[in-house]
Short mmCIF file of all heavy atoms in Angstrom, two decimals:
data_model
loop_
_atom_site.label_atom_id
_atom_site.label_comp_id
_atom_site.label_asym_id
_atom_site.label_seq_id
_atom_site.Cartn_x
_atom_site.Cartn_y
_atom_site.Cartn_z
N ILE D 34 -17.68 26.15 -2.14
CA ILE D 34 -17.55 25.37 -0.88
C ILE D 34 -17.88 23.91 -1.06
O ILE D 34 -17.16 23.03 -0.54
CB ILE D 34 -18.48 26.00 0.16
CG1 ILE D 34 -17.99 27.41 0.55
CG2 ILE D 34 -18.78 25.18 1.32
CD1 ILE D 34 -18.93 28.19 1.42
N ILE D 35 -18.86 23.59 -1.89
CA ILE D 35 -19.26 22.17 -2.16
C ILE D 35 -18.08 21.46 -2.79
O ILE D 35 -17.67 20.36 -2.42
CB ILE D 35 -20.55 22.12 -2.92
CG1 ILE D 35 -21.72 22.48 -2.03
CG2 ILE D 35 -20.74 20.65 -3.45
CD1 ILE D 35 -23.02 22.67 -2.84
N VAL D 36 -17.59 22.08 -3.85
CA VAL D 36 -16.45 21.49 -4.54
C VAL D 36 -15.18 21.30 -3.64
O VAL D 36 -14.56 20.27 -3.60
CB VAL D 36 -16.00 22.32 -5.81
CG1 VAL D 36 -14.66 21.81 -6.40
CG2 VAL D 36 -17.10 22.19 -6.81
N PHE D 37 -14.94 22.31 -2.80
CA PHE D 37 -13.87 22.25 -1.84
C PHE D 37 -13.97 21.15 -0.84
O PHE D 37 -12.99 20.31 -0.68
CB PHE D 37 -13.73 23.58 -1.12
CG PHE D 37 -12.62 23.66 -0.10
CD1 PHE D 37 -11.33 23.95 -0.57
CD2 PHE D 37 -12.83 23.55 1.26
CE1 PHE D 37 -10.29 23.91 0.38
CE2 PHE D 37 -11.79 23.60 2.19
CZ PHE D 37 -10.54 23.80 1.72
N PHE D 38 -15.12 20.94 -0.23
CA PHE D 38 -15.32 19.85 0.69
C PHE D 38 -15.27 18.51 0.14
O PHE D 38 -14.77 17.58 0.65
CB PHE D 38 -16.63 20.08 1.49
CG PHE D 38 -16.42 21.19 2.68
CD1 PHE D 38 -17.08 22.34 2.69
CD2 PHE D 38 -15.54 20.85 3.75
CE1 PHE D 38 -16.91 23.22 3.68
CE2 PHE D 38 -15.38 21.68 4.64
CZ PHE D 38 -16.06 22.98 4.68
N THR D 39 -15.94 18.36 -1.07
CA THR D 39 -16.02 17.04 -1.64
C THR D 39 -14.68 16.56 -2.22
O THR D 39 -14.31 15.45 -2.13
CB THR D 39 -16.95 17.01 -2.88
OG1 THR D 39 -16.65 17.99 -3.76
CG2 THR D 39 -18.43 17.14 -2.38
N SER D 40 -13.83 17.48 -2.51
CA SER D 40 -12.53 17.07 -3.01
C SER D 40 -11.63 16.64 -1.84
O SER D 40 -10.73 15.83 -2.04
CB SER D 40 -11.77 18.25 -3.80
OG SER D 40 -11.48 19.32 -2.90
N PHE D 41 -11.78 17.30 -0.63
CA PHE D 41 -11.03 16.87 0.48
C PHE D 41 -11.55 15.73 1.23
O PHE D 41 -10.85 15.01 1.94
CB PHE D 41 -10.76 18.13 1.39
CG PHE D 41 -9.65 19.03 0.86
CD1 PHE D 41 -10.10 20.25 0.32
CD2 PHE D 41 -8.38 18.73 0.88
CE1 PHE D 41 -9.17 21.09 -0.14
CE2 PHE D 41 -7.43 19.56 0.38
CZ PHE D 41 -7.83 20.79 -0.14
N LEU D 42 -12.84 15.61 1.22
CA LEU D 42 -13.42 14.50 1.99
C LEU D 42 -13.39 13.16 1.27
O LEU D 42 -13.26 12.12 1.87
CB LEU D 42 -14.91 14.78 2.14
CG LEU D 42 -15.20 15.95 3.19
CD1 LEU D 42 -16.67 16.17 3.35
CD2 LEU D 42 -14.51 15.68 4.54
N ASN D 43 -13.30 13.19 -0.11
CA ASN D 43 -13.08 11.92 -0.84
C ASN D 43 -11.66 11.66 -0.93
O ASN D 43 -10.91 12.28 -1.65
CB ASN D 43 -13.63 12.03 -2.24
CG ASN D 43 -15.20 12.13 -2.17
OD1 ASN D 43 -15.80 11.70 -1.22
ND2 ASN D 43 -15.83 12.69 -3.20
N GLU D 44 -11.17 10.57 -0.29
CA GLU D 44 -9.81 10.16 -0.35
C GLU D 44 -9.56 9.40 -1.63
O GLU D 44 -10.09 8.33 -1.79
CB GLU D 44 -9.42 9.38 0.89
CG GLU D 44 -8.01 9.07 1.01
CD GLU D 44 -7.68 8.36 2.35
OE1 GLU D 44 -8.39 8.46 3.27
OE2 GLU D 44 -6.68 7.66 2.29
N LYS D 45 -8.80 9.90 -2.51
CA LYS D 45 -8.59 9.30 -3.76
C LYS D 45 -7.46 8.29 -3.81
O LYS D 45 -7.40 7.46 -4.60
CB LYS D 45 -8.37 10.32 -4.88
CG LYS D 45 -9.61 11.32 -5.02
CD LYS D 45 -9.38 12.36 -6.02
CE LYS D 45 -10.53 13.26 -6.06
NZ LYS D 45 -10.24 14.48 -6.76
N TYR D 46 -6.45 8.63 -2.94
CA TYR D 46 -5.26 7.86 -2.99
C TYR D 46 -4.82 7.42 -1.45
O TYR D 46 -5.02 8.24 -0.59
CB TYR D 46 -4.07 8.54 -3.57
CG TYR D 46 -4.29 8.94 -5.07
CD1 TYR D 46 -4.74 10.06 -5.40
CD2 TYR D 46 -4.05 7.97 -6.01
CE1 TYR D 46 -5.02 10.47 -6.78
CE2 TYR D 46 -4.28 8.26 -7.38
CZ TYR D 46 -4.73 9.47 -7.76
OH TYR D 46 -5.02 9.77 -9.00
#
Side-chain angles (χ1 to χ4, degrees):
I34 290 172
I35 289 172
V36 168
F37 181 75
F38 279 115
T39 56
S40 67
F41 283 106
L42 293 178
N43 291 339
E44 190 176 331
K45 297 177 186 169
Y46 298 96

